[in-house]
Amino acid sequence: RLGDAGCAAICSAILQNPALTELDLSGNDIGEAGCTALASVLERTKSLKVLKLSWNQIGEGKGLEALAAAVGRNRGLVNLDLRHNLIKASHGEACVTMLSCPSLTALDLRWNDLRGSGAGAILDGLSQIRSLKNLKLSGNKVPVQTLGAINSRLNKRPVVPKPRDAMHPISTCVEDDEAEKHERKKSKFAKHEMIIVDNLEAKNRRLKCWRAN
């Protein structure tokens, strides 16, 4: 894993390659120092369109605030992935700062710990946001009413939320990505195949018993 030092080295290289449009640094133990380095890149480039930072430690220290300020001032970033980053309820305002980026259309905040107050701050800030189209908040223990209000604000139309899971409510503004759908399908088919195999094995055992008799 890169860690903060490796992330800083990558950032230095990025500044020498202005044509780079997508960067994936997921699962690299990036914390406050790494976020500061990433912020310096976002302050100086408009070419980067997709930034994937899932499974890091961006919510620790002041890393998220530094990153959020740079994202908010950036004019090129389109898609930002911050899943599994220890982002807490107190980071709601920082999330709103990121959403102020005029080019940002998709922000993935799944599986953090925003809860009601963090999501509430995002809801309050959405009235000033124009570019955002896709906001993912599953796994943040956000009340379903708040998710429904966020969905309604994003879609500019009233939506009645339908509770599914009290711990991990999902509104239509929080879409499952194709990978998750694929995993659910694989799980379903795997169970079906196990049943078929079990049935075949049972038939074979009965056939062996019949022949033995």
Side-chain angles (χ1 to χ4, degrees), residues 32-118:
E32 185 173 353
C35 282
T36 301
L38 284 167
S40 67
V41 170
L42 291 169
E43 293 276 10
R44 297 167 62 182
T45 180
K46 296 180 181 179
S47 62
L48 194 63
K49 304 301 180 186
V50 178
L51 180 56
K52 298 180 180 180
L53 296 171
S54 62
W55 290 98
N56 284 295
Q57 301 171 27
I58 289 170
E60 292 293 290
K62 298 294 183 181
L64 183 64
E65 285 81 356
L67 184 67
V71 170
R73 289 190 288 267
N74 189 272
R75 295 296 181 270
L77 193 65
V78 174
N79 191 319
L80 177 59
D81 183 355
L82 292 174
R83 289 172 293 159
H84 293 279
N85 261 295
L86 307 175
I87 297 172
K88 301 178 283 293
S90 58
H91 291 130
E93 291 299 332
C95 292
V96 174
T97 301
M98 288 188 286
L99 293 176
S100 65
C101 172
S103 58
L104 192 69
T105 62
L107 175 62
D108 195 340
L109 290 168
R110 286 176 294 173
W111 307 108
N112 285 293
D113 195 29
L114 284 167
R115 299 181 180 254
S117 58

Side-chain angles (χ1 to χ4, degrees), residues 5 8 10 25 45 48 63 90 106 111 127 144 160 179 187 198:
I10 292 290
L25 293 175
T45 180
L48 194 63
S90 58
W111 307 108
S127 59
V144 69
V160 179
S187 176
D198 288 341

